[in-house]
Amino acid sequence: MKASITVTLRNGILDPQGSAVMNALNSMDAACVKNVRIGKLIEIEIDESDPAVAKETLAKMCDRLLANPVMENYHIEFQTG
Amino acid sequence: MKASITVTLRNGILDPQGSAVMNALNSMDAACVKNVRIGKLIEIEIDESDPAVAKETLAKMCDRLLANPVMENYHIEFQTG
């Protein structure tokens, strides 16, 4: 079963990487970019066919390794097909 | 207008970061993880109300700065609301 996990910084947490990218984009092109936040996308394939069990396993993985729950949110989505 | 851009490595391009995460997950938990690929998620807010123009602008930004077209694919999705 394939899943996409997106890990994003919580609101209020500064994102210096995002600010740098925003400044670069605005200096490159027409200054139309108002905000940029950068996160991670983790595509994971696990050997589990029950979606409920898979979701629980993935949530545990996020809490323990993939995301920092103090300053990041995560969202788990299963890919169909 | 808000958009989410996902940047992922093309098929066939080695992903050492993904392999490291896979090994860490398998040594931590039950060894049920078969594959991990890591990409970037860029949430961007631009000052443009026409979706077609916005998409074109964002594609240009991806080609020039946000993604490396030689080894990465990107996908642009607009957030509703």
Side-chain angles (χ1 to χ4, degrees):
Chain A
M1 181 164 255
K2 283 189 181 181
S4 292
I5 301 171
T6 53
V7 178
T8 50
L9 285 171
R10 285 180 189 271
N11 287 336
I13 303 280
L14 281 181
D15 181 1
Q17 195 188 357
S19 305
V21 168
M22 184 178 75
N23 292 339
L25 288 172
N26 279 334
S27 69
M28 205 178 73
D29 227 311
C32 64
V33 179
K34 288 198 290 186
N35 194 23
V36 177
R37 305 277 287 175
I38 304 220
K40 276 178 291 185
L41 172 75
I42 301 162
E43 288 174 326
I44 197 165
E45 197 177 339
I46 68 168
D47 203 1
E48 174 61 62
S49 53
D50 182 348
V53 178
K55 190 149 193 172
E56 201 180 313
T57 309
L58 289 171
K60 211 192 290 172
M61 287 172 181
C62 287
D63 284 327
R64 290 181 59 193
L65 186 86
L66 301 174
N68 175 356
V70 176
M71 51 191 266
E72 290 173 328
N73 290 320
Y74 60 83
H75 177 73
I76 300 167
E77 205 166 275
F78 289 107
Q79 289 171 12
T80 48
Chain B
M1 180 164 256
K2 283 188 181 182
S4 292
I5 301 171
T6 54
V7 178
T8 50
L9 285 172
R10 284 179 191 271
N11 288 335
I13 304 281
L14 281 181
D15 181 3
Q17 195 188 357
S19 306
V21 169
M22 185 180 73
N23 292 339
L25 288 173
N26 279 334
S27 68
M28 203 178 74
D29 228 310
C32 64
V33 180
K34 289 198 291 188
N35 193 23
V36 176
R37 305 277 287 176
I38 303 217
K40 276 179 292 183
L41 171 76
I42 303 162
E43 288 175 327
I44 197 166
E45 197 178 337
I46 68 167
D47 203 1
E48 174 61 64
S49 52
D50 182 348
V53 177
K55 189 148 194 173
E56 201 180 314
T57 308
L58 289 171
K60 212 190 292 171
M61 287 174 182
C62 287
D63 284 327
R64 292 182 58 192
L65 186 86
L66 301 175
N68 175 356
V70 176
M71 51 190 267
E72 289 172 329
N73 289 321
Y74 60 83
H75 176 73
I76 300 167
E77 205 166 275
F78 289 107
Q79 291 170 12
T80 47

